[in-house]
Structure formats: structure tokens, C-alpha cells
């Protein structure tokens, strides 16, 4: 009887120590909530524009799929962009812009900035940087698919972030060129 009680107490202590000494599970990342998803089309000649527009069908083919989503937790924002049907093994830049997509590439306005640069266009690395803007640069895989993700320590101002624009190159960080990523190739209207 003594051995049995001692064995049971020892087993209970060992189980308790094992449970207490293990690492706490990592906090679960907030779920990315869908904001917009569509296949790209050409710009409409007049009137309402498609949700997803390609301005360069060679680099963003008609029918390519774009989707974006975001999550906010503890004052931090995470934005995700998923693409498919693009050119394989190709670098693209991508940012959140202030206005919805329009018939012309420039219609989506400048990059959304948490702290706005008083000078437009913004190419000063003090403002045009991955901590003050949402940069979603990516390189497609062999099938033309990719995911770009950005996490920042702020939240969007309501009504001021309205599109994700895909650019021709990864984003520059050089002084005088910071935030630039070449031509605007496509746009996805997405109100964050």
C-alpha cells in the first residue's frame, strides 16, 4: 500500500512539474478578415470602375486574382495581399493607397501614411518607409502566385485607406526615391 501511494504521489508531482515547466502556448495571431477579392479587368470607358483593374495586361493579365484582408489587435494592423495568375518568378511592389481605383493609374492617389508627409509626392524616407506605410512587396512563384504581408504599430484612419496598388518593382528605400516602386500595374479597391 505504501509503495502504491508513494508511486501515485510521485506520478502526480511529475505530471504537475511537466505541465508547469512547459512553455506557454504562443498567443494566437488575430484572424485576417477579408476586405476585397476579385479578378482584374480592364478599366471601364466610363462610369463605375471594376473593383480590380489591370493597367498593364502584359504584367497583370486579365483574370488575375487579387485579394486583401486585414486584422487589428492591440493597436497593431496586419494587412495581407494574395495574388494569382501573374507572371511567374517576378518581383512586384505593392502598397495601400488613399483613394479607390479609377480608370487611370494615378486615380488611386498617394500611399496611405500614418504620419503624412507635407510634401507630395513623398520620397523622404522619414515618411516613405515600411513602418509609416503599408508595403506588401512580393515575388511570385513558378505558378504566378504570392502573398505579401505587412504589420505596423498603428491603425488606419477611417475612410482614408481605399485601395491596394501593384507596382512594377520592389519598393525603393533610397533617399529621394523612397517609397517608389515603378509603374502602377493594377489596382484593387479595398476600404480598410
Amino acid at each position: 500500500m505504501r509503495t502504491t501511494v508513494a508511486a501515485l504521489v510521485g506520478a502526480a508531482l511529475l505530471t504537475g512539474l511537466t505541465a508547469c515547466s512547459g512553455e506557454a502556448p504562443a498567443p494566437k495571431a488575430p484572424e485576417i478578415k477579408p476586405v476585397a477579392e476579385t479578378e482584374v479587368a480592364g478599366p471601364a470607358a466610363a462610369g463605375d470602375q471594376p473593383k480590380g483593374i489591370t493597367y498593364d495586361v502584359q504584367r497583370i493579365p486579365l483574370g488575375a486574382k487579387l485579394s486583401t484582408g486585414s486584422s487589428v489587435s492591440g493597436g497593431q494592423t496586419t494587412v495581407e495581399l494574395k495574388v494569382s495568375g501573374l507572371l511567374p518568378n517576378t518581383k512586384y511592389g505593392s502598397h495601400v493607397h488613399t483613394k479607390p481605383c479609377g480608370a487611370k493609374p494615378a486615380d488611386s492617389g498617394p500611399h496611405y501614411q500614418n504620419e503624412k508627409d507635407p510634401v507630395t509626392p513623398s520620397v523622404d524616407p522619414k515618411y516613405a518607409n515600411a513602418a509609416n506605410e503599408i508595403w506588401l512587396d512580393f515575388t511570385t512563384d513558378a505558378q504566378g502566385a504570392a502573398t505579401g504581408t505587412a504589420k505596423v504599430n498603428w491603425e488606419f484612419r477611417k475612410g482614408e485607406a481605399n485601395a491596394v496598388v501593384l507596382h512594377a518593382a520592389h519598393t525603393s528605400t533610397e533617399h529621394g526615391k523612397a517609397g517608389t516602386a515603378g509603374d502602377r500595374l493594377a489596382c484593387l479597391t479595398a476600404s480598410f
Side-chain angles (χ1 to χ4, degrees):
M1 173 101 175
R2 221 175 213 202
T3 307
T4 308
V5 170
L8 289 173
V9 169
L13 284 173
L14 183 59
T15 303
L17 288 174
T18 304
C20 292
S21 66
E23 291 184 25
K28 189 176 177 185
E31 183 181 342
I32 299 289
K33 294 182 177 134
V35 175
E37 180 176 8
T38 193
E39 292 183 2
V40 298
D48 292 341
Q49 293 298 318
K51 183 178 271 190
I53 300 172
T54 179
Y55 303 110
D56 185 330
V57 295
Q58 297 302 313
R59 293 188 274 184
I60 308 283
L62 294 171
K65 293 180 183 174
L66 310 177
S67 67
T68 190
S70 68
S71 69
V72 177
S73 177
Q76 295 184 322
T77 302
T78 302
V79 177
E80 181 179 81
L81 171 68
K82 291 184 177 185
V83 301
S84 62
L86 276 60
L87 298 178
N89 306 311
T90 302
K91 293 180 181 181
Y92 293 89
S94 184
H95 315 106
V96 172
H97 283 244
T98 59
K99 297 179 181 178
C101 307
K104 296 177 185 169
D107 290 345
S108 57
H111 296 180
Y112 178 92
Q113 294 182 324
N114 183 49
E115 184 182 346
K116 293 180 182 180
D117 188 340
V119 177
T120 302
S122 180
V123 291
D124 180 346
K126 177 181 176 185
Y127 299 97
N129 63 67
N132 193 46
E133 300 181 347
I134 299 290
W135 292 4
L136 299 159
D137 293 3
F138 59 88
T139 302
T140 55
D141 63 16
Q143 288 73 44
T147 299
T149 304
K151 185 174 185 178
V152 292
N153 293 318
W154 44 265
E155 296 178 29
F156 289 116
R157 292 178 297 277
K158 189 166 179 66
E160 293 187 34
N162 293 292
V164 175
V165 173
L166 279 63
H167 294 266
H170 278 182
T171 309
S172 175
T173 57
E174 295 176 47
H175 189 73
K177 294 182 179 181
T180 62
D183 293 341
R184 296 181 188 202
L185 304 178
C187 185
L188 173 63
T189 295
S191 298
F192 291 95

